[in-house]
Structures are given as structure tokens and as C-alpha cells.
């Protein structure tokens, strides 16, 4: 417990929840960091697709970015309305479920869950990619560094929302300030040089043109660049994390995220075109990220470069926090409706949904290992889930306003319909452009998750059908059960268990399963002296010692045979099996004892004997 207190912080009472809520200043790092950080890899993703056209890529990044920012603005207007309409948390799952039906809600939930896992994996891998750009010697350790950052983020989030916000605030605002500073200096240099600035550090030469510009290539570049829009949904999904007034604080946070992100995207696109920055091949020797090239071109590779790239690295890695903030909340909502295990709805020691955080960490680690921690390998999987959730959410809001009516409903319908149309078109482009490159995996995973949701729901309904009853308590035949106590030898533990067994019933069988006959006489003599004689003196019925020899040294089979004989001899009678068990004081004590009691209990639990109950009697070791 002392280790957990040091690592995760002291347990928080439910009454302390209000103190864990955040305002806009902390809300931007907690829920908007993925959106802000995507400015560092969204333009690069588009430029990577345009590698095939060489130097011509810089002339196309501007129009593509303008289109993305326009779509971003539509989504912003839509989610402002979602926050107002669903102040309890209006994520795509809630909006789609309540307005389009349960299947649509589950589809949105599946898409979002995949998106949040990718948010974590892509954010961390992009951050380590920035580090490798600055320190190429670290490239062989890319995957290990990704996993270390993932573990650190998991621990930070297990400590609670407020503490994670405090940990993220400094790198977030350093990133925003440093990047805006570099962009401002870069724009000034472009203007001063008449649109032809000279890079402080020479840029990599564009590759040869191997493909002509066409609709298909532009569609693929747009699809990759749309990864800059991921994470926007997080604020509307996390409204309950804000302090009162929640709606106002959530809207302010969303506005801040959208304004900062749009400015960064436009600034990066403008300077990439002005300086002639092109992408380099990810995962290959000599790789240099677009942000790294841009900062070096504007400010050189001095202190400004390392501060800026350091902040980019930190924020890219920490942008995964958006997934950690929202994935557990989404799992909690789905579990509350019975489509995920109920454990996802239980809050842990720091008032966070611990199981969701642990599962997200495991899934993200698996993804990083599978793709060797290289961002570009994950990009094709990224935007499908986000845009599917965007579209379902906006369609749900259209249905909401149509049903709700009232003042302003018509204008709201227009805004949400435009958002739905824009994101649906983007989704179609992403699916077509990226399907063969890996987007099919996301489609398959969405289908698998949908199936899993429905399977969990069926199971819970089946369990409820077996357990629910309107019958009153049956007070007939309340005779004490037959009690079987497992005995190894006479000890304080056996004495404690025997006393409990005799309190439960006058009919107690002490079962000893022996591998040989060497110690049977000693046990029988001690039982007569320690148990039978005191019982006679007190006028009590002594437990009957039953000795079963097991020549093959098995415990389970003789026990099951004995219980089966009891059931046949006493039809309809309840049987209680008392299992004495040592409870170790220190972790290494578990290595010194064979845990036989735990194994026996496991056998009994899965035996299928409905009339058999298990009673555990612990004996706590002091040292």
C-alpha cells in the first residue's frame, strides 16, 4: 500500500470529486492536447503522401490545409451545439444512441475506442519521431522509448484528472508559445525577403518526381492530413470533467483548441511553401520531421531549435493523454448500458476509471510493438474512426434538433447537417484513399467490437434471466447443511476451522486425503485426543474423521468422489465445504507455500455441484 500511495497518490473519497474537476486553462492540456499536437504530424502526413511529386508538394500543402481548416470549423460549430445540448457528456456514443438508435451509438463507440487507442499510439510514436530527428543516434531505440513514455502516461493518469492536468500544463503552453514564436519569426522573414527566404540550415533536397498530380493523389494527401482533426471530439465527450459552469468552460476550452490548432496548421503550411520544406521518408536513415526542418530553417539548430523541438517532443508524447482522458469515460458509458463488462464503470483509488486506463495502455502497447513505433505505419488506420464518430454525432444532432424544435432549432439543424455532410465526405475520401493501405483493419476492428458489444449484452441479459425472480423466500427445510472440513493435520488453523464448522452444523465430516499410510495413525490418535475427547466432555457431537488414501497423490478427484457420495446419500441436503487457508504477510511468502487451498477452491467453484457451498477460513501469518 505504501508503494501504491507513492506511485499513484493517496486514495480519494467520493466527496473529493469536485476538487478533481478542471477549468479551461487545465482543460486545454487534458482534453485538447491531441488536437494541438496533431499540428506537428498532420501536415507531415499529407506531405509524406506527396513525396512522389517532389518539389511540387509544397505548392499543394496550402490548399489542402485550407480545406482541412474549413472542415475543422464546421466540426467546431457542431460540437459547440453538442456541448450545450448534452451537458452531461455529449460524445458521439451518447448523441447517436439517443437520436439514431442503439446500433448507431455502438457503431460510434467502436469507432471512438479504436480512435482513442490510435491517439495514444500515434501521439507517442510521433513524439519519439521528433526526438529521433534531433538525436539520430536514438533511432534504434524507438520502440523502447515509446513504451517507456506510455508507461509514464499511464501512471500520471492513474493519479487522477487534476494531477494529470497540472503535469501537462507546462509542456503544453511551452509548445504553443515556442511554435507560435518560430512561426511569427518565419512569417516576418518571408515578408522581409519578398517571399523568398533563405533557410538558416539547408533543407533536404526534394526527391525526383515519380508520379503526376491527380485526383487520387490529392485525395490520399487530404485523407492523411485529416489526422490533424483527431481529438476535437474529446472536449464534448469530457464535459463532466469540467467545474461549474460546465457548459461554459467546455465551450471555452473547445474554442481555444480550435483557434490555436487552426493558426498552427495555417502557419506551418504557409512556411512549408515559402521555405520549400518537403517530407523525408519515415523510418529510414536521414529521416527529419517536417517540424524539425521548419524550425531549423527559420531559427537554425541552436537553443531555440532545441527548446522548440523539445516542447514538440513533449507535447506529441503527452498528446496521448486525450485518449487516456476519454477512453475510460467512453468505456464507462458503454458499460453502464450493459455492452461492456461492468468493471469499466467502477472508479479506482483516484476517482478515475482504472480498468479503462489499464486496457488502453495494453492495447496501445500492442499497437506500438506491432508497428515498431513508426508513426507513418499507423496513419492509414487513424482517421477512419474519428470521422465515422464525427459523422454519426452530427447526424444525431440533426435528429435531436428536429425532435426538440423551438427557437434556433432550424439554424442548428443547418449547422449540424453541414457538419455531417462535410465529415461524411471526408470519411468517404479517407476510406477510399486509405483502404488498401490499412484502413480496412479499422473497418474490421469496428465490426469485431460491435459483435463484442452485442455479445456482452446478450450475456448480461442471460444472467439476469437466470438470477431474477419474483418468488418469496422459501422457508421450508431450513435444516443445517452437511459440513465437510478439509484437514491436513492438527494446528491452530485446523482448530479455528473446526470450531466454525461445528457452529454451522452438528454433522461435520473432517476429510483427510493421504498419499500414503505413514502418518495416519498419528493423525487418528491426535484427532481422538484433541477433538473427540473434548467433545465428549462437553456433550457435543464430535466431527467424524474420514481418511481417504490417494495413491496417485491427487486431491481433487478423491474430494469430488466424497462429495458425490454425500449428495447421493443425502438427496436435497445442502453441503458446505470449509477450506482452511494461510494468508501470507509478505509477497515472498507466496513463493514458500503451495497455495493448495486456493486451487481446491477453484476446483469447487467450477465443479458444477449446485448444492455445494464453499466457506473460507483464513489464518493470517504475522511474519
Amino acid at each position: 500500500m505504501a508503494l501504491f500511495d507513492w506511485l499513484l497518490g493517496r486514495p480519494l473519497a467520493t466527496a473529493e470529486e469536485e476538487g478533481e474537476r478542471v477549468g479551461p486553462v487545465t482543460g486545454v492540456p487534458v482534453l485538447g492536447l491531441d488536437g494541438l499536437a496533431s499540428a506537428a504530424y498532420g501536415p507531415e502526413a499529407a506531405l509524406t503522401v506527396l513525396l512522389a511529386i517532389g518539389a511540387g508538394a509544397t505548392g499543394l500543402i496550402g490548399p489542402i490545409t485550407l480545406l482541412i481548416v474549413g472542415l475543422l470549423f464546421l466540426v467546431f460549430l457542431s460540437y459547440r451545439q453538442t456541448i450545450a445540448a448534452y451537458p452531461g457528456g455529449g460524445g458521439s456514443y451518447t448523441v447517436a444512441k439517443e437520436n439514431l438508435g442503439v446500433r448507431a451509438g455502438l457503431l460510434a463507440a467502436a469507432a471512438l475506442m479504436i480512435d482513442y487507442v490510435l491517439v495514444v499510439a500515434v501521439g507517442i510514436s510521433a513524439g519519439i519521431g521528433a526526438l529521433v530527428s534531433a538525436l539520430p543516434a536514438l533511432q534504434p531505440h524507438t520502440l523502447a522509448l515509446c513504451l517507456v513514455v506510455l508507461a509514464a502516461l499511464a501512471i500520471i493518469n492513474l493519479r487522477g484528472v487534476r494531477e494529470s492536468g497540472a503535469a501537462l500544463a507546462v509542456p503544453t503552453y511551452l509548445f504553443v508559445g515556442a511554435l507560435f514564436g518560430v512561426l511569427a519569426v518565419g512569417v516576418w522573414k518571408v515578408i522581409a525577403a519578398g517571399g523568398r527566404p533563405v533557410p538558416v540550415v539547408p533543407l533536404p533536397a526534394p526527391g525526383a518526381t515519380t508520379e503526376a498530380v491527380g485526383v487520387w493523389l490529392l485525395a490520399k494527401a487530404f485523407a492523411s492530413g485529416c489526422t490533424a482533426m483527431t481529438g476535437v471530439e474529446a472536449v464534448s465527450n469530457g464535459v463532466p470533467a469540467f467545474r461549474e459552469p460546465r457548459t461554459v468552460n467546455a465551450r471555452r476550452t473547445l474554442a481555444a483548441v480550435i483557434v490555436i490548432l487552426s493558426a498552427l496548421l495555417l502557419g506551418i503550411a504557409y512556411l512549408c511553401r515559402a521555405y520549400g520544406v518537403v517530407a523525408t521518408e519515415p523510418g529510414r536513415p536521414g529521416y527529419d520531421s517536417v517540424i524539425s526542418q521548419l524550425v531549423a530553417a527559420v531559427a537554425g539548430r541552436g537553443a531555440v531549435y532545441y527548446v522548440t523541438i523539445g516542447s514538440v517532443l513533449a507535447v506529441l508524447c503527452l498528446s496521448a493523454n486525450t485518449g487516456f482522458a476519454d477512453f475510460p469515460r467512453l468505456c464507462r458509458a458503454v458499460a453502464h448500458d450493459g455492452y461492456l463488462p461492468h468493471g469499466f464503470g467502477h472508479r479506482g483509488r483516484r476517482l478515475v476509471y482504472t480498468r479503462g486506463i489499464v486496457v488502453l495502455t495494453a492495447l496501445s502497447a500492442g499497437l506500438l510493438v506491432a508497428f515498431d513505433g513508426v508513426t507513418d505505419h499507423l496513419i492509414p488506420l487513424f482517421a477512419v474512426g474519428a470521422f465515422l464518430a464525427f459523422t454519426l454525432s452530427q447526424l444525431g444532432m440533426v435528429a435531436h434538433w428536429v425532435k426538440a424544435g423551438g427557437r434556433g432549432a432550424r439554424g442548428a439543424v443547418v449547422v449540424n447537417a453541414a457538419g455531417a455532410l462535410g465529415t461524411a465526405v471526408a470519411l468517404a475520401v479517407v476510406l477510399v484513399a486509405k483502404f488498401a493501405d490499412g484502413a480496412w483493419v479499422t473497418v474490421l476492428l469496428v465490426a469485431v467490437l460491435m459483435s463484442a458489444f452485442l455479445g456482452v449484452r446478450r450475456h448480461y441479459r442471460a444472467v439476469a434471466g437466470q438470477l431474477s425472480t419474483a418468488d418469496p423466500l422459501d422457508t421450508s427445510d431450513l435444516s443445517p447443511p452437511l459440513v465437510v472440513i478439509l484437514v491436513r493435520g492438527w494446528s491452530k488453523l485446523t482448530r479455528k476451522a473446526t470450531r466454525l464448522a461445528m457452529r454451522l452444523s452438528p454433522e461435520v465430516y473432517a476429510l483427510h486425503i493421504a498419499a500414503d499410510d505413514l502418518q495416519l495413525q498419528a493423525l487418528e490418535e491426535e484427532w481422538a485426543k484433541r477433538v473427540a475427547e473434548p467433545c465428549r466432555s462437553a456433550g457435543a457431537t464430535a466431527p467424524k474423521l474420514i481418511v481417504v488414501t490417494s495413491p496417485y497423490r491427487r486431491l481433487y478427484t478423491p474430494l469430488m468422489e466424497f462429495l458425490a457420495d454425500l449428495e447421493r446419500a443425502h438427496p436435497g441436503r445442502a453441503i458446505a465445504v470449509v477450506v482452511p487457508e494461510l494468508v501470507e504477510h509478505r509477497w515472498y511468502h507466496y513463493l514458500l507455500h503451495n497455495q493448495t487451498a486456493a486451487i481446491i477452491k477453484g476446483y469447487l467453484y467450477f465443479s458444477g455441484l449446485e448444492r455445494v457451498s464453499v466457506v473460507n477460513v483464513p489464518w493470517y501469518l504475522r511474519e
Side-chain angles (χ1 to χ4, degrees):
M1 292 304 295
L3 175 62
F4 273 99
D5 287 344
W6 174 79
L7 195 63
L8 304 179
R10 67 173 180 83
L12 295 177
T14 304
E16 297 179 83
E17 182 176 12
E18 187 59 36
E20 289 296 298
R21 301 190 191 280
V22 299
V25 173
T26 310
V28 169
V30 172
L31 295 168
L33 197 51
D34 174 48
L36 298 181
S38 62
Y41 56 77
E44 177 165 2
L47 284 169
T48 300
V49 174
L50 298 174
L51 273 171
I53 61 172
T58 58
L60 295 174
I61 190 63
I64 290 173
T65 301
L66 282 173
L67 191 58
I68 292 170
V69 169
L71 188 57
L72 186 62
F73 183 69
L74 275 179
V75 172
F76 163 65
L77 292 178
S78 300
Y79 275 119
R80 269 182 59 85
Q81 296 181 349
T82 303
I83 290 170
Y86 292 91
S92 296
Y93 169 68
T94 303
V95 176
K97 181 191 68 173
E98 294 191 5
N99 297 289
L100 302 177
V102 172
R103 294 295 179 101
L106 293 176
L107 183 60
L112 273 178
M113 286 179 184
I114 293 169
D115 183 55
Y116 287 141
V117 174
L118 289 166
V119 160
V120 174
V122 170
I124 291 174
S125 61
I128 298 304
L131 175 62
V132 168
S133 294
L135 301 171
L138 294 177
Q139 190 169 20
H141 308 291
T142 297
L143 178 58
L145 291 169
C146 286
L147 295 177
V148 168
V149 171
L150 176 64
L153 275 174
I155 292 172
I156 289 172
N157 280 274
L158 287 171
R159 292 184 65 90
V161 175
R162 187 165 59 89
E163 289 208 21
S164 65
L168 298 173
V170 173
T172 298
Y173 292 112
L174 176 61
F175 163 79
V176 172
L179 204 50
F180 268 129
V182 169
L183 293 178
V185 171
V187 170
W188 177 81
K189 285 188 173 184
V190 171
I191 295 172
R196 295 172 179 264
V198 177
V200 177
V201 174
L203 295 168
T209 301
T210 58
E211 186 175 339
V213 178
V215 175
W216 178 244
L217 184 67
L218 293 175
K220 289 176 68 177
F222 172 76
S224 291
C226 279
T227 55
M229 292 181 60
T230 57
V232 175
E233 207 258 2
V235 177
S236 69
N237 197 41
V239 175
F242 290 94
R243 67 172 68 101
E244 296 293 348
R246 292 183 189 176
T247 300
V248 174
N249 286 327
R251 279 184 154 186
R252 288 175 179 171
T253 302
L254 179 63
V257 171
I258 296 299
V259 168
I260 295 171
L261 175 58
S262 298
L264 291 176
L265 289 174
L266 292 172
I268 291 169
Y270 175 75
L271 291 183
C272 282
R273 179 174 183 176
Y275 278 91
V277 175
V278 294
T280 54
E281 193 70 31
R284 299 284 182 86
Y287 166 72
D288 195 7
S289 70
V290 167
I291 288 294
S292 172
Q293 293 181 55
L294 192 59
V295 176
V298 172
R301 290 188 178 265
V304 172
Y305 172 85
Y306 286 104
V307 169
T308 305
I309 294 302
S311 68
V312 170
L313 161 65
V315 165
L316 283 171
C317 291
L318 297 175
S319 68
N321 194 76
T322 299
F324 279 104
D326 270 7
F327 181 89
R329 292 179 181 277
L330 176 59
C331 289
R332 180 258 173 199
V334 177
H336 182 266
D337 293 332
Y339 293 97
L340 274 180
H342 293 156
F344 282 100
H346 299 156
R347 289 186 294 181
R349 59 189 286 124
R350 299 290 293 182
L351 298 176
V352 293
Y353 299 103
T354 303
R355 182 171 294 188
I357 293 174
V358 171
V359 168
L360 176 61
T361 303
L363 292 175
S364 302
L367 203 56
L368 287 167
V369 171
F371 287 88
D372 295 322
V374 178
T375 310
D376 191 61
H377 294 172
L378 300 172
I379 291 296
L381 309 178
F382 201 14
V384 175
F387 277 96
L388 178 55
F390 287 162
T391 303
L392 289 170
S393 177
Q394 304 320 308
L395 288 174
M397 287 303 297
V398 170
H400 167 79
W401 292 120
V402 169
K403 289 186 292 185
R407 184 177 179 182
R410 184 172 297 177
V413 166
V414 171
V415 170
N416 286 124
L421 178 61
T423 54
V425 170
L427 173 62
V429 171
V430 169
L431 275 174
V432 173
K434 292 294 182 181
F435 191 83
D437 294 334
W440 65 269
V441 176
T442 302
V443 175
L444 178 62
L445 289 176
V446 167
V448 170
L449 272 179
M450 286 283 291
S451 232
F453 292 154
L454 297 174
V456 169
R457 180 65 169 169
R458 281 194 300 270
H459 170 76
Y460 280 136
R461 283 182 174 174
V463 170
Q466 293 181 48
L467 296 180
S468 61
T469 180
D471 297 337
L473 177 67
D474 184 3
T475 57
S476 62
D477 190 18
L478 293 179
S479 57
L482 297 169
V483 177
V484 177
I485 176 175
L486 301 178
V487 175
R488 174 178 292 179
W490 187 250
S491 65
K492 290 182 178 180
L493 175 55
T494 305
R495 184 177 64 182
K496 178 182 178 181
T498 304
R499 280 180 53 81
L500 177 64
M502 293 176 68
R503 288 180 177 180
L504 294 176
S505 173
E507 296 180 74
V508 178
Y509 297 90
L511 178 64
H512 176 75
I513 300 173
D516 51 52
D517 299 331
L518 296 179
Q519 296 179 334
L520 289 186
Q521 184 177 354
L523 175 62
E524 290 171 348
E525 291 176 355
E526 193 155 28
W527 191 262
K529 179 180 179 181
R530 306 294 185 190
V531 179
E533 187 176 323
C535 286
R536 278 195 302 271
S537 301
T541 303
K544 184 178 181 181
L545 179 63
I546 306 293
V547 176
V548 175
T549 302
S550 177
Y552 295 101
R553 301 162 302 284
R554 294 173 180 168
L555 294 175
Y556 176 66
T557 302
L559 173 60
M560 295 303 295
E561 290 174 351
F562 180 76
L563 294 177
D565 291 341
L566 273 185
E567 284 192 321
R568 283 192 295 269
H570 303 274
R573 190 83 178 272
I575 300 173
V577 180
V578 175
V579 182
E581 182 175 12
L582 288 175
V583 179
E584 290 80 355
H585 179 66
R586 302 186 184 277
W587 66 267
Y588 53 81
H589 289 168
Y590 288 88
L591 305 176
L592 306 177
H593 301 275
N594 56 16
Q595 311 303 321
T596 303
I599 295 172
I600 289 174
K601 286 188 293 181
Y603 280 139
L604 292 172
Y605 291 151
F606 293 102
S607 67
L609 298 175
E610 295 185 3
R611 284 195 281 140
V612 173
S613 301
V614 179
V615 181
N616 196 52
V617 179
W619 183 271
Y620 298 94
L621 296 175
R622 294 188 184 91
E623 288 295 339

